[in-house]
Amino acid sequence: VTAPKKIGVLGGGQLGRMLALAGYPLNLHLRFLDPSPVAPAGDMAELMVAEFDDLDAVARFAEGLDVATYEFENVPADAARVLAERTRLAPGVAALETSQDRVREKECFISLDIPTPAFHAVGSQHDLERAVAVLGLPAVLKTRRLGYDGKGQRVLRSPDDVAGAYEALGSVPLILERFVNFDRELSIIGVRGRDGEQAYYPLVQNRHGDGILRLSRAPVDIDDTMQQRAESFMQRLLDELDYTGVLALEMFDRGGELIANEIAPRVHNSGHWTIKGAETSQFENHLRAVVGMPLGSTAAVGHSAMVNLIGTVPPIEAMLAIEGAHVHLYGKSERPGRKLGHVTLHAATRELLDARLPALLRVVDAR
Ligand code: AMP
């Protein structure tokens, strides 16, 4: 019997929990670092409780690991550097730093010829007014760093919205982006192995509410050229970042044109459907990649939808009573705006999925 491989993960949220679940059949054991003693991954695997900026703790965390990764992109780059010095870190520090700064991220898109909304870095109210004069309104003002789930951003529609907006977002470095009047939001998840082998999941369509993902569906009903274009963007990003693991790219579709919004250097909420809806889940493929195993097929099995459970959890019996539904709860306490779990729905055809989805949305929206 070979000893299990030990994988250290920065962050112990639901993404970590699902990574741990995917790891056991491959004899991969995970160890998590998270500031919260009740982090969801702690139910599944070893959990070390410490702040991410406690670099001594991070160094102790690294002892005995075969490889380290992260499931949260707002970990301090210094913590990632400590891991990279002591063990193998995948994805690397460059991917983390690129995704942490929206300006750097957009510069990366431009250098790779990936369309993205016109933007301006903003460091003061004066900068903001100049940027508005160039880009026009409406526009979206976001913090450069530490934004997630729609936090740290606002849409500016009129000059009244511009007045005082720099201070209202905390007088921190900001980015102003041209507002994209999109038809729909799409994402693609790709994975790159240690040897550079790549695979891509089918495009996913996402619906957000209040900045939080509500519903994903895959595969999307589109022509092959759009899938190929999205794969080509993903391939350029994976190669440029010398990436190992799963990477997500969020995009806008405006009249068939794909416009990149942001990347997430980790497994992603819009990929939860892959647990039962693809030959190999994003979680398993991320682990395979970071330990240097061959990647698994990313092909979809039928049609899938994923609905997030936000703030409250409907009665589990009502969700499970829907044909094709699978419930994943993260073991978190209820709080408004918090992701507590998700339900996936699977069907052999798009028509069957369309027929089943309203019942699930009634149960989830009823709360
Ligand atoms: P983000 O934090 O960048 O993912 O933004 C959260 C959500 O805000 C996105 O999923 C979009 O629905 C919306 N959004 C972000 N940027 C833009 C933009 N430039 N134009 C229009 N909507 C946007």
Side-chain angles (χ1 to χ4, degrees), residues 102 140 142 153 177-178 180 182 185 208 252 261-262:
R102 291 185 189 274
V140 188
K142 304 177 180 177
Q153 60 178 273
E177 298 176 16
R178 187 165 280 158
V180 179
F182 55 82
E185 293 190 73
H208 294 85
F252 305 118
N261 176 30
E262 62 178 356

Side-chain angles (χ1 to χ4, degrees), residues 320-367:
L320 293 177
I322 296 160
E323 202 179 343
H326 293 269
V327 174
H328 291 251
L329 300 179
Y330 308 150
K332 291 157 87 172
S333 51
E334 297 194 343
R335 193 198 297 156
R338 199 173 197 204
K339 291 176 181 169
L340 303 173
H342 70 265
V343 189
T344 53
L345 203 55
H346 306 279
T349 63
R350 183 169 284 121
E351 292 67 32
L352 201 51
L353 188 68
D354 285 339
R356 288 176 180 174
L357 190 55
L360 176 60
L361 293 178
R362 270 196 300 279
V363 170
V364 174
D365 288 345
R367 302 276 299 203

Side-chain angles (χ1 to χ4, degrees), residues 180-196:
V180 179
N181 207 351
F182 55 82
D183 301 315
R184 54 184 179 176
E185 293 190 73
L186 303 175
S187 58
I188 186 162
I189 292 174
V191 56
R192 186 169 182 268
R194 266 194 205 168
D195 58 359

Side-chain angles (χ1 to χ4, degrees), residues 199-223:
Y200 319 98
Y201 289 92
L203 276 164
V204 184
Q205 182 168 350
N206 302 308
R207 203 174 74 205
H208 294 85
D210 297 328
I212 305 179
L213 182 64
R214 305 277 155 170
L215 171 70
S216 292
R217 289 191 58 151
V220 186
D221 194 8
I222 40 141
D223 57 82

